[in-house]
Amino acid sequence: MSKREFRIWRGDTEGGELTDYQVEVNEGEVVLDVIHRLQATQTPDLACRWNCKAGKCGSCSVEINGKPRLACMTRMSTFEEEETVTVTPLRTFPIIRDLVTNVSYNYTKARETPAFAPPPELAPGEYRMQQVDVERSQEFRKCIECFLCQTVCHVIRDHEENKEAFSGPRMFIRAAELDMHPLDDRTDRAEQASHQQGIGYCNITKCCTEVCPEHIKITDNAIIPMKERVVDRRYDPLVWLGRKILRRDQVEQQATAGSAAAGVSGSPGTPGGEAGPVHYAAEPTPGGLSFAQEIPAPQPPVLDADGKLPMTETRFDKPGPASPFGEDVTFPVDPQQLNYRYWQAQA
């Protein structure tokens, strides 16, 4: 056991300052252990968010010596004995108290991301995927939502005004995952990433990849492929030629006629069946005309009265496929055979 110098930010929404502490550190401990010892011995009112202490919940995200890290995964042995360890809250998000920040921005952006849309011709239980398709998006499922990639992204770290139009790396990998999903029925993921998530703001610094504790290649495997899809659609030679030939009013007439012929009375995600807006990427010309490419407006997911996504796949009456453990087992299991009476309580 040895004495180490710590400098921790203390304060709230009104302001604060760095406070010095001298605390005992044992061999093999991590920064979160030291913070807990400080709470137990010197400053019981120190606020710190944590949960699993195993690097799987993402709760203990802080900035240690200026770098966003998980406190439970940062070993004290990585610092020199005479080095002062500085622990501060995530800089990108508003401070609640001490090391706890308000990360609700990320959940707001998550709600704006359209959910998985299963193909209408398949019922729950009939989804089938090739293993190669599973592995392609499995990397992005490792995200623990620590939001280190969000806080290190300079687009919103240094520019608060960008938060409204920029979703951040965490939501980009979600968009990429759904865009790569072979059963996802939405075809506007690239447009949604461009027009609503603001993927064009990203300039590929790869800082989000560097701080990811799950070692997800956010930039190379998610953001760059999504940017390529957006550019491929926007600068396709035939689409470019169409924008030069057709005037905007002609595009609107064709879109209206096409919708009427298809019997479309409204778009999903809009209340009352009202048609959603159509976005145009207009390019004014010296002659005063405006040529445009019709881009379907991304639609938000349908929410229930409480503003939540409907959980329609958690329970259904259709029996599942044969069990590999025997043909006498069917799914879902009869509620009488369950030890946990959740569904009975709900009924």
Side-chain angles (χ1 to χ4, degrees):
M1 182 176 294
S2 60
K3 291 280 188 177
R4 300 292 295 272
E5 295 292 334
F6 264 73
R7 181 171 296 168
I8 299 179
W9 195 90
R10 303 298 307 277
D12 52 25
T13 56
E14 302 298 327
E17 61 182 1
L18 290 170
T19 304
D20 293 325
Y21 297 97
Q22 193 174 54
V23 59
E24 295 178 346
V25 176
N26 295 319
E27 182 178 0
E29 287 187 330
V30 296
V31 172
L32 186 60
D33 291 323
V34 179
I35 292 176
H36 286 170
R37 183 170 291 114
L38 278 172
Q39 291 175 322
T41 60
Q42 299 185 42
T43 171
D45 61 340
L46 173 61
C48 174
R49 183 184 284 132
W50 71 284
N51 188 16
C52 73
K53 202 186 174 186
K56 293 302 177 184
C57 73
S59 301
C60 61
S61 301
V62 291
E63 296 191 9
I64 303 175
N65 286 1
K67 181 178 181 179
R69 301 181 182 182
L70 295 179
C72 70
M73 299 300 290
T74 305
R75 293 197 173 275
M76 290 301 301
S77 58
T78 61
F79 306 104
E80 300 293 337
E81 289 190 6
E82 65 278 3
E83 182 178 0
T84 298
V85 180
T86 303
V87 185
T88 56
L90 300 178
R91 199 185 85 180
T92 303
F93 308 117
I95 294 174
I96 297 178
R97 180 182 169 189
D98 296 341
L99 301 179
V100 180
T101 55
N102 184 353
V103 295
S104 59
Y105 156 82
N106 303 284
Y107 302 118
T108 299
K109 294 302 179 181
R111 286 193 295 268
E112 295 175 357
T113 302
F116 170 74
E121 66 274 10
L122 296 180
E126 297 178 351
Y127 305 152
R128 297 295 182 270
M129 291 175 59
Q130 296 292 331
Q131 184 62 32
V132 64
D133 293 322
V134 175
E135 295 172 352
R136 181 176 292 113
S137 59
Q138 191 67 25
E139 176 188 13
F140 308 133
R141 303 289 294 183
K142 297 190 300 181
C143 176
I144 61 176
E145 294 199 331
C146 60
F147 304 129
L148 295 183
C149 62
Q150 297 285 86
T151 190
V152 79
C153 182
H154 64 277
V155 176
I156 52 178
R157 185 180 179 92
D158 300 328
H159 304 279
E160 181 72 20
E161 66 277 9
N162 288 339
K163 285 187 175 181
E164 183 177 353
F166 188 76
S167 295
R170 166 62 187 111
M171 304 311 153
F172 294 155
I173 65 173
R174 176 62 175 159
E177 174 199 344
L178 293 173
D179 197 40
M180 296 176 184
H181 201 297
L183 296 179
D184 186 67
D185 196 53
R186 296 187 69 103
T187 59
D188 61 344
R189 296 289 180 187
E191 286 80 7
Q192 198 268 344
S194 174
H195 300 324
Q196 292 190 2
Q197 292 185 308
I199 196 172
Y201 283 84
C202 174
N203 55 9
I204 319 297
T205 59
K206 297 190 177 183
C207 50
C208 52
T209 302
E210 292 179 3
V211 299
C212 179
E214 290 296 318
H215 307 291
I216 302 173
K217 293 181 172 57
I218 301 173
T219 308
D220 292 336
N221 293 350
I223 296 180
I224 291 178
M226 286 301 293
K227 278 178 167 285
E228 289 174 345
R229 291 183 179 93
V230 172
V231 172
D232 180 70
R233 172 69 181 270
R234 182 69 180 84
Y235 295 100
D236 182 273
L238 294 180
V239 175
W240 177 85
L241 182 61
R243 292 200 307 269
K244 294 301 182 183
I245 295 177
L246 297 178
R247 299 193 307 272
R248 178 167 182 167
D249 58 347
Q250 293 176 330
V251 175
E252 292 175 344
Q253 291 174 5
Q254 290 184 0
T256 304
S259 299
V264 178
S265 59
S267 57
T270 56
E274 299 177 358
V278 177
H279 293 257
Y280 293 93
E283 291 186 356
T285 62
L289 299 177
S290 178
F291 301 101
Q293 169 200 359
E294 179 187 359
I295 301 176
Q299 300 298 327
V302 180
L303 305 178
D304 58 19
D306 297 329
K308 300 180 179 179
L309 293 174
M311 300 297 292
T312 57
E313 298 181 30
T314 56
R315 184 184 183 190
F316 54 92
D317 299 328
K318 182 180 177 64
S323 170
F325 304 100
E327 297 298 330
D328 58 334
V329 179
T330 58
F331 296 92
V333 180
D334 187 82
Q336 299 296 333
Q337 303 176 14
L338 296 176
N339 293 327
Y340 182 51
R341 306 295 185 181
Y342 175 78
W343 295 123
Q344 286 187 349
Q346 292 296 312

